[in-house]
């Protein structure tokens, strides 16, 4: 190569670079910020799903936008038919559930929906080769089969009162998802369903965009374009909402406050089943003592936590069931009573030592409490709990760690845990309190073991009579007063700020995970532009 | 020249093998659990049996060497495996993202070279002049400034204070079609920041090279012959001053890759970087290994390229061996 050709090459490269630069500068500012049009909405969410395939767990609690389940929850969490034409027929022994399917429903690619898609979906989720971490939720299913094109019959291993609530699980098309690797095939990122919206793009870590399904069986949505921007940082989300880039967003209480009373915006407060609790492991000689548990249960000032940590956006929690729920047992609220706590400890032989920390038979009333590193809310709860416990003479050391660090210690150390699933009282309580599930993964982390509770949980799960079930869950909640295996602290409200340009917004009772399904956009397909 | 390229290619094989094995070893030694990363919050209510099954399905219960060997043999047949964190084949993850990363890196690189060369020549012409002093001190400051810090600063100034450029993403939030105009406007800030962070090296090398050349006999001779200043500067001084630049281009590649990682994260640019970070924190072996191979190959190629260019530009420098 000669000098001349090098010069030519350099010149060409420079010219190319300059053109590039010029092109890049030609459109400063980009398009209009946000969506001025009333038939589109952009909302900011904090969490992104790993997959959009229902076979891997996406949308299992309903409201999946792209998909429908056999049934769906309405605003009051009452079941209504979706892909099923009606609520299921249940056999007398309550082991057989028969669903008649809605006729004329099509997937968004035009293929008809039928019973074989339902059977395919459930069988695939139950298949061990499918990497679905929520498979246990369908544990009751023994078999699922199609009878003709429009009837699906589930056979259960045992009567399970909450089974119908599980059938909000979205249905995947067999003719697409059945022909590829269920764990990694294109369906996991480019799904096709029967739902009100069709996925138009998913740029991971940036946004998920949908367009209305014009042929939706429930009627074409009025909001034609719907975008979920994934913005993990709370402050950035608030800034982009203020800048007009977003029409709505989930915000923590302190940031939501900044939008209060602002013209053209409304704040929605969703009550939740989202609890924060402290596990009191049975195998710890201090936390496992019923006297210590009961003392801690009344030594904590739950209202103070709601006021200071949650800025008032929440409620004191006395068990997994929130106080506003119809399943809550009135009279099981615990008053903050430090003197009472001290009395319980005194009577049980936990005597204060020189440093103010109690001891019994040479055992110091002390144990560690772990919380997830980086989770400010859990950290605040843990510190407040430790400080309340100290006043009663119990020394709790708070420690931060990742789940990898915490998990092996769960049998002996306390953990600041969170959870909560609305829909049925069985969902939370069975997994939290059943002694058979002690130490099974993250189920029953406290190794709680109470035969009366076990029996009540079983009655609650198997019975179909609402009164019998209520009585059973009343028993569970009363047992938790006598021997609390956990100190439940708060139920946390989720706050959403949304531009006031639509009618039809409301919130459901929300679960612990506030993913795509939660927020006022749980029913974006029913929104209508404000006149 | 072909022999040099061939020899380097042969040498790359053991390097790449060692690097992939190191990636598997480091990931296996990390305290993170791939199954926890895979299941996310659903794993917090899953039964142990369920979790164990997923562990077996993902193949992460295998010993380190087995896993590495399985990955390597299937990678050689063209199957890069499936990314657990992205729930799709590794080849798809890379194909979807590498174009955006390349666009960002090449734009930034071109910007750095062009701007660095121009400013370098101008500064060398009047050494100690106002422009030279300003740009030189700025270059030393930039050399020390981390790219992500520059990125945050740029977002604050251009996107928040002035509101003239988008703060992040590939396109506007409300839009779901990728148009050239939108990408161009969203490219400005990340490419400019990445380019500016690379600029000082090019500037300082050119300034030094051209400055030295201006003092050399051939240039003085050319001036004495009455050639135009422009011809002297661009034809003589720049040509010999550019030589060290060629080496620099290759050696800046690793820095460009790590810089791009940070910039992509700051500007939510949907390139390879976000995938790399996720792959690392989720112990996603197949994806992590493939990305490492790519990055290593890019570095090796960069070095080869600069050596070849240098050999071509200066006949006194042969091709090694």
């Amino acid at each position: 190569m000669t000098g001349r050709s090098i010069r030519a090459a350099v010149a060409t490269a420079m010219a190319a670079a300059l053109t590039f630069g010029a092109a890049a500068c030609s459109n400063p500012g980009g398009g209009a910020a946000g969506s001025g049009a009333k038939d589109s909405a952009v909302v900011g969410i904090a969490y992104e799903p790993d997959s959009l395939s229902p076979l891997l767990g996406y949308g299992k609690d309903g409201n999946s936008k792209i998909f429908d389940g056999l049934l769906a929850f309405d605003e009051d969490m009452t079941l209504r038919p979706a892909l099923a034409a009606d609520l299921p027929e249940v056999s007398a022994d309550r082991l057989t559930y028969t669903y008649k399917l809605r006729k004329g429903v099509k997937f968004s690619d035009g293929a008809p929906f039928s019973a074989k898609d339902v059977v395919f979906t459930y069988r695939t989720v139950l298949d061990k080769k499918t990497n679905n971490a929520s498979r246990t939720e369908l544990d009751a299913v023994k078999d699922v089969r199609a009878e003709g094109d429009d009837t699906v019959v589930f056979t259960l291993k045992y009567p399970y009162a909450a089974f119908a609530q599980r059938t909000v699980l979205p249905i995947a098309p067999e003719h697409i998802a059945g022909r590829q690797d269920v764990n990694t095939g294109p369906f996991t990122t480019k799904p096709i369903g029967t739902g009100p919206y069709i996925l138009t793009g998913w740029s991971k870590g940036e946004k998920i965009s949908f367009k209305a399904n014009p042929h939706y069986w429930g009627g074409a949505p009025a909001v034609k374009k719907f975008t979920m921007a994934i913005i993990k940082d709370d402050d950035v989300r608030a800034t982009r909402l203020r800048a007009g880039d977003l029409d709505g967003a989930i915000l923590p209480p302190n940031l939501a406050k900044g939008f209060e009373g602002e013209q053209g915006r409304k704040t929605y407060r969703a009550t939740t089943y989202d609890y924060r609790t402290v596990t009191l492991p049975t195998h710890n000689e201090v936390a496992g003592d019923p006297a210590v548990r009961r003392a801690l249960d009344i030594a904590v000032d739950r209202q103070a936590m709601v006021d200071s940590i949650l800025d008032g956006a929440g409620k004191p929690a006395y068990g997994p069931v929130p106080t506003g729920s119809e399943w809550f047992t009135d009279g099981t609220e615990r008053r903050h009573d430090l003197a009472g706590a001290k009395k319980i400890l005194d009577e049980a032989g936990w005597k204060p030592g020189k440093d103010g920390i109690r001891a019994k038979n040479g055992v110091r009333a002390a144990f560690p409490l772990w919380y997830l590193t980086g989770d400010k809310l859990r950290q605040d709860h843990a510190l407040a709990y430790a400080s309340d416990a100290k006043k009663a003479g119990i020394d709790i050391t708070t420690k931060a760690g990742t789940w990898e660090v915490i998990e092996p210690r769960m049998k002996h150390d306390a953990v600041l845990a969170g959870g909560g699933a609305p829909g049925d009282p069985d969902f939370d309580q069975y997994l939290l309190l059943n002694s058979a599930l002690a130490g099974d993964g993250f189920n029953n982390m406290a190794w709680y073991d109470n035969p009366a509770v076990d029996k009540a949980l079983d009655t609650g799960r198997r019975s179909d009579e609402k009164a019998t079930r209520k009585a059973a869950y009343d028993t569970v909640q009363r047992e938790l007063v006598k021997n609390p295996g956990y100190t439940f602290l708060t139920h946390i409200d989720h706050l959403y700020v949304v531009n006031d340009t639509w009618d039809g917004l409301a919130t459901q009772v929300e679960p612990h995970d506030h993913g795509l399904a939660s927020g006022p956009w749980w029913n974006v397909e029913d929104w209508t532009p404000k006149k | 020249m072909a022999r040099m390229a061939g020899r380097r290619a042969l040498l790359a094989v053991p390097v790449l093998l060692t690097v992939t094995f190191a990636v598997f070893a480091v990931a296996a030694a990390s305290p993170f659990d791939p199954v926890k990363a895979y299941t996310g919050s659903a794993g917090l209510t899953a039964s142990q049996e369920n979790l164990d099954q997923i562990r077996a399905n993902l193949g992460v219960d295998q010993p380190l060497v087995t896993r590495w060997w399985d990955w390597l043999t299937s990678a050689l047949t063209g199957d890069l495996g499936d990314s657990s964190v992205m729930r799709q084949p590794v080849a798809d993850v890379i194909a979807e993202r590498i174009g955006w990363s390349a666009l960002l890196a090449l734009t930034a690189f071109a910007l750095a070279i062009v701007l660095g060369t121009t400013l370098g020549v101008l500064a060398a012409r009047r050494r100690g002049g106002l422009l030279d002093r300003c740009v030189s001190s700025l270059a030393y400051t930039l050399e020390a400034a981390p790219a992500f810090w520059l990125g945050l600063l740029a977002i604050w100034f251009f996107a928040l204070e002035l509101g003239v450029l988008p703060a992040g993403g590939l396109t506007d939030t409300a839009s779901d079609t990728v148009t050239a105009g939108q990408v161009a406007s969203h490219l400005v800030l990340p490419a400019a920041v990445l380019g500016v962070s690379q600029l000082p090296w090019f500037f300082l090398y050119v300034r030094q090279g051209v400055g030295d050349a201006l003092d050399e006999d051939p240039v003085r001779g050319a001036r004495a012959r009455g050639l135009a200043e422009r011809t002297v500067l661009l034809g003589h001084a720049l040509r010999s001053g550019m030589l060290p630049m060629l080496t620099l281009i290759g050696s800046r590649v690793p820095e460009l890759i790590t810089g791009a990682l940070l910039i992509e994260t700051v500007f939510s640019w949907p390139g390879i970087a976000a995938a790399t970070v996720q792959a690392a924190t989720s112990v996603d072996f197949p994806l992590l290994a493939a990305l490492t191979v790519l990055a290593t190959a890019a570095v090796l190629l960069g070095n080869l390229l600069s050596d070849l260019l240098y050999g071509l530009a200066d006949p006194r420098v042969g091709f090694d061996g």
Side-chain angles (χ1 to χ4, degrees):
Chain A
M1 208 188 263
T2 62
R4 183 185 299 270
S5 60
I6 287 180
R7 265 204 306 283
V10 168
T12 319
M14 280 184 173
L18 284 174
T19 324
F20 233 134
C25 296
S26 65
N27 189 12
S35 57
K38 279 196 173 175
D39 61 354
S40 66
V42 184
V43 300
I45 55 173
Y47 150 96
E48 178 174 40
D50 299 311
S51 150
L52 290 178
S53 167
L55 305 169
L56 299 181
Y58 167 64
K60 67 184 178 64
D61 300 316
N63 303 336
S64 51
K65 301 289 172 244
I66 311 163
F67 299 95
D68 293 300
L70 290 171
L71 305 179
F73 289 113
D74 68 8
E75 191 186 330
D76 309 316
M77 298 302 281
T78 314
L79 283 175
R80 58 177 168 80
L83 285 180
D86 221 327
L87 294 179
E89 267 174 49
V90 187
S91 67
D93 60 1
R94 286 178 301 99
L95 287 173
T96 313
Y97 280 65
T98 309
Y99 290 79
K100 285 267 180 228
L101 302 187
R102 192 179 290 273
K103 290 202 170 82
V105 175
K106 285 187 160 63
F107 286 101
S108 59
D109 65 344
F113 154 79
S114 84
K116 68 177 178 35
D117 298 304
V118 180
V119 172
F120 162 74
T121 301
Y122 281 87
R123 286 201 177 148
T124 309
V125 171
L126 287 168
D127 183 356
K128 285 193 187 316
K129 289 283 158 217
T130 305
N131 294 341
N132 186 321
S134 310
R135 180 171 22 249
T136 332
E137 296 185 352
L138 293 177
D139 179 56
V141 178
K142 187 163 120 197
D143 181 40
V144 48
R145 63 178 199 280
E147 277 181 7
D149 274 350
D150 61 354
T151 308
V152 176
V153 181
F154 290 89
T155 321
L156 305 191
K157 294 178 207 156
Y158 47 86
Y160 182 37
F163 178 67
Q165 272 83 347
R166 290 296 188 208
T167 58
V168 301
L169 181 85
I171 302 300
E174 183 184 25
H175 69 280
I176 295 168
R179 290 185 191 155
Q180 43 179 271
D181 184 335
V182 60
N183 294 321
T184 54
F187 183 73
T188 59
T189 46
K190 296 181 186 68
I192 285 177
T194 57
Y197 284 92
I198 301 172
L199 183 83
T200 51
W202 181 15
S203 163
K204 280 201 175 128
E206 190 195 354
K207 66 187 166 195
I208 309 177
S209 14
F210 306 93
K211 68 170 188 211
N213 178 357
H215 308 297
Y216 184 50
W217 56 266
V223 175
K224 300 281 178 231
K225 252 180 71 181
F226 183 57
T227 310
M228 294 176 142
I230 297 134
I231 307 160
K232 297 216 168 81
D233 189 272
D234 293 333
D235 291 300
V236 175
R237 223 177 308 117
T239 310
R240 285 177 64 175
L241 179 64
R242 189 161 293 291
D245 189 26
L246 305 174
D247 298 310
I250 179 166
L251 292 176
N254 58 338
L255 288 172
K257 213 175 245 175
F259 290 91
E260 231 165 64
E262 204 166 290
Q263 191 97 57
R265 284 195 231 266
K266 266 174 106 165
T267 302
Y268 293 85
R269 170 177 295 212
T271 56
T272 70
Y273 266 57
D274 186 5
Y275 60 74
R276 292 295 176 275
T277 187
V278 175
T279 68
L280 297 172
T282 306
H283 292 276
N284 182 299
E285 47 186 340
V286 179
D289 182 338
V292 172
R293 297 167 176 221
R294 269 172 46 227
L296 284 169
D297 207 25
I298 53 174
V300 291
D301 189 347
R302 296 176 170 89
Q303 191 58 48
M305 291 187 187
V306 171
D307 295 340
S308 62
I309 301 174
L310 304 178
D311 269 327
K315 288 192 191 70
Y318 306 100
V321 183
T323 45
S325 164
E326 55 172 331
W327 295 99
F328 182 76
T329 308
D330 287 324
T332 56
E333 297 93 340
R334 271 81 96 189
R335 235 163 25 86
H336 171 56
D337 181 6
L338 185 57
K342 286 181 177 162
K343 194 164 157 246
I344 292 173
L345 291 170
D346 285 337
E347 281 168 7
W350 290 95
K351 300 287 180 219
K354 269 185 219 142
D355 54 355
I357 305 304
R358 292 166 189 269
K360 179 183 177 180
N361 305 333
V363 178
R364 204 163 166 271
F367 59 90
L369 168 62
W370 290 87
Y371 61 89
L372 189 62
T373 309
D375 189 328
K376 176 88 171 36
L377 203 56
R378 291 185 192 213
Q379 179 183 353
D380 289 348
H381 275 91
L383 293 174
Y385 185 71
S387 132
D388 285 347
K390 189 106 185 207
K391 288 176 199 153
I394 297 169
D395 183 21
I396 295 177
T397 328
T398 56
K399 292 183 172 181
T402 61
W403 285 122
E404 281 84 1
V405 177
I406 298 172
E407 193 189 359
R409 296 176 162 85
M410 290 188 319
K411 192 174 178 183
H412 297 283
D413 293 3
V415 180
L416 203 297
D424 194 276
D426 174 78
F427 292 174
D428 281 321
Q429 302 187 34
Y430 196 82
L431 299 181
L432 262 173
L433 300 169
N434 186 347
S435 63
L437 294 178
D440 175 33
F442 283 84
N443 293 324
N444 194 353
M445 281 161 73
W447 297 66
Y448 190 68
D449 188 354
N450 182 337
V453 168
D454 283 349
K455 194 163 159 283
L457 287 174
D458 222 42
T459 311
R461 150 170 283 209
R462 283 165 189 262
S463 167
D464 199 29
E465 281 290 313
K466 182 122 190 218
T468 319
R469 299 194 72 201
K470 175 79 173 109
Y473 291 115
D474 283 349
T475 308
V476 173
Q477 289 171 66
R478 294 210 179 91
E479 283 297 320
L480 277 182
V481 180
K482 287 189 232 161
N483 178 15
Y486 300 77
T487 313
F488 283 87
L489 304 174
T490 55
H491 276 105
I492 294 161
D493 290 348
H494 298 159
L495 296 182
Y496 303 86
V497 178
V498 188
N499 287 353
D500 194 17
T501 36
W502 295 277
D503 283 322
L505 276 73
T507 54
Q508 281 181 320
V509 177
E510 298 189 347
H512 170 57
D513 282 322
H514 29 291
L516 307 190
S518 307
W521 35 90
W522 73 273
N523 68 342
V524 61
E525 59 269 24
D526 298 332
W527 291 7
T528 47
K530 243 185 190 151
K531 296 275 153 23
Chain B
M1 180 174 169
R3 274 180 46 205
M4 176 167 127
R7 205 169 29 246
R8 293 286 186 91
L10 273 181
L11 196 70
V13 175
V15 172
L16 287 174
L17 280 181
T18 316
V19 166
T20 57
F21 187 77
V23 167
F24 272 78
V26 168
S30 83
F32 298 108
D33 179 359
V35 175
K36 263 197 200 79
Y38 184 87
T39 55
S41 58
L44 296 182
T45 50
S47 68
Q48 195 57 50
E49 184 202 352
N50 199 177
L51 293 174
D52 291 344
Q53 183 67 46
I54 292 177
R55 186 176 297 277
N57 289 357
L58 293 176
V60 289
D61 51 348
Q62 302 288 321
L64 162 67
V65 178
T66 318
R67 244 182 306 168
W68 175 69
W69 185 248
D70 287 349
W71 175 84
L72 189 70
T73 44
S74 56
L76 288 177
T77 63
D79 176 13
L80 291 175
D82 296 317
S83 157
S84 62
V85 64
M86 300 287 174
R87 312 287 201 270
Q88 62 189 122
V90 167
D92 289 2
V93 176
I94 293 176
E96 272 172 25
R97 292 163 171 270
I98 198 157
W100 299 125
S101 286
L103 175 67
L104 174 65
L106 289 177
T107 314
F109 214 37
L111 187 77
I113 294 178
V114 171
L115 218 60
T117 312
T118 317
L119 289 173
V121 171
L122 291 178
R125 221 175 115 198
R126 302 246 186 287
R127 269 201 282 187
L130 183 65
L131 180 95
D132 183 26
R133 273 181 294 157
C134 287
V135 179
S136 293
S137 48
L138 197 65
Y140 285 119
T141 317
L142 279 177
E143 228 176 351
F148 74 90
W149 180 78
L150 288 177
L152 291 175
L153 204 66
I155 289 183
W156 169 75
F157 189 68
F158 291 101
L160 292 182
E161 287 295 307
L162 299 183
V164 290
L165 286 167
L170 185 64
T171 53
D172 290 337
T173 319
S175 135
D176 48 47
T177 44
V178 178
T179 60
Q182 288 222 352
V183 173
S185 69
H186 283 73
L187 180 64
V188 175
L189 273 191
V193 170
L194 186 56
V196 162
S197 73
Q198 298 296 313
L199 181 75
W201 283 270
F202 293 105
F203 166 76
L204 294 170
Y205 264 72
V206 170
R207 176 182 170 275
Q208 189 66 41
V210 172
D212 289 350
L214 281 174
D215 293 338
E216 276 169 16
D217 287 344
V219 173
R220 287 217 298 263
R223 278 204 173 125
R225 290 202 304 279
L227 289 179
E229 183 65 19
R230 225 177 81 105
T231 320
V232 173
L233 199 63
L234 298 181
H236 294 80
L238 180 59
R239 194 178 156 200
S240 64
M242 282 290 276
L243 281 177
M245 266 272 283
L246 297 175
T247 326
L248 190 64
I249 290 177
S251 64
R252 292 315 297 167
V253 170
E255 187 83 10
L256 189 70
I257 292 174
T258 49
L261 289 189
L262 296 169
I263 292 296
E264 284 186 12
T265 314
V266 170
F267 287 94
S268 4
W269 189 257
I272 283 289
T276 311
V277 175
Q278 259 186 300
T281 53
S282 319
V283 209
D284 185 348
F285 291 94
L287 184 56
L288 199 56
L291 291 176
T292 318
V293 168
L294 265 182
T296 316
V299 170
L300 293 175
L301 268 176
N303 284 334
L304 176 63
L305 187 74
S306 66
D307 287 353
L308 286 178
L309 283 177
Y310 207 98
L312 284 173
D314 190 343
R316 288 169 299 176
V317 181
F319 300 109
D320 58 31

